[in-house]
Amino acid sequence: MSKQILHDAHKDHPLVLRRVAGAGFRCNGCGCNGTGFRYRCDACDFDLHELCATCPPTTLLPIHGQHPLTFEPAVVSDEGRFCHLCETAIEGMHYRCRATDFDVHPICSQLPAVAVSPLHPEHLVVLTVAHPTKCTRCSDVCLWRYRCNPCGVNLHPRCLLGPDKTPLGIPKDSLLRGFFL
């Protein structure tokens, strides 16, 4: 049974909840890649992450405990905003804290506080922010990173799973293996 919704981001046709195994897509709402469930309009080749289609108006993130984040359905193209977690451009739907200029893609807001990485399976890595340092995988400087304190391993959220995958487009259970804070 298909679940249909009407969404302000695509007023031409209803969007139908679909899961296409193994097929990736680019969300027309936030601009991030995704897999698995999505709301789709086949006629227009329009996709929304399930989360982007159902975002609450505000959210609280443990990693940004100062203020609630407000959902913003679009961004002015010349703002030059970047997601603080994945460090890629904000091109549409996002959460924002105006008080601190903290921006995050809806899908990035779902990143776990604690994870397991195949690049460092010895310990759990914890999402944290600290002084700039090099990512263990890509050697680029990172502020927000998954860190193993005992070993000094630092991984960008985008580098967490290794060179061929991203934590932003995979099901949570593949990333977490049951670990939550």
Side-chain angles (χ1 to χ4, degrees), residues 3-7 10-18 39-44 46 48:
K3 182 178 178 184
Q4 289 190 11
I5 63 168
L6 297 175
H7 199 279
H10 186 73
K11 295 179 181 182
D12 297 336
H13 307 104
L15 301 175
V16 179
L17 184 62
R18 299 246 171 89
Y39 280 93
R40 177 159 179 76
C41 174
D42 287 329
C44 300
F46 185 90
L48 286 179

Side-chain angles (χ1 to χ4, degrees), residues 28-179:
N28 294 97
C30 71
C32 293
N33 294 329
T35 59
F37 285 103
R38 68 186 102 172
Y39 280 93
R40 177 159 179 76
C41 174
D42 287 329
C44 300
D45 191 28
F46 185 90
D47 296 296
L48 286 179
H49 289 113
E50 185 177 15
L51 178 66
C52 288
T54 60
C55 281
T58 61
T59 190
L60 291 170
L61 297 182
I63 57 172
H64 183 78
Q66 300 99 315
H67 311 99
L69 303 177
T70 303
F71 180 74
E72 298 199 359
V75 66
V76 177
S77 62
D78 64 353
E79 285 188 56
R81 297 204 172 277
F82 286 84
C83 175
H84 280 79
L85 296 183
C86 74
E87 300 174 351
T88 61
I90 297 282
E91 297 175 352
M93 299 174 173
H94 62 287
Y95 281 105
R96 179 142 205 255
C97 175
R98 290 190 182 277
T100 62
D101 280 334
F102 181 86
D103 297 292
V104 64
H105 294 111
I107 201 75
C108 294
S109 75
Q110 301 300 299
L111 287 172
V114 176
V116 176
S117 172
L119 297 174
H120 187 69
E122 297 85 6
H123 302 108
L124 294 175
V125 288
V126 178
L127 186 59
T128 188
V129 63
H131 65 282
T133 192
K134 285 188 178 183
C135 173
T136 302
R137 189 200 140 246
C138 73
S139 296
D140 287 345
V141 173
C142 55
L143 226 47
W144 283 94
R145 73 289 206 107
Y146 282 94
R147 177 159 177 79
C148 174
N149 280 330
C151 301
V153 169
N154 295 292
L155 298 167
H156 286 108
R158 69 175 184 261
C159 294
L160 182 64
L161 294 179
D164 299 324
K165 298 181 183 175
T166 170
L168 306 181
I170 62 166
K172 277 193 203 180
D173 58 351
S174 298
L175 179 63
L176 301 177
R177 291 193 226 151
F179 294 102

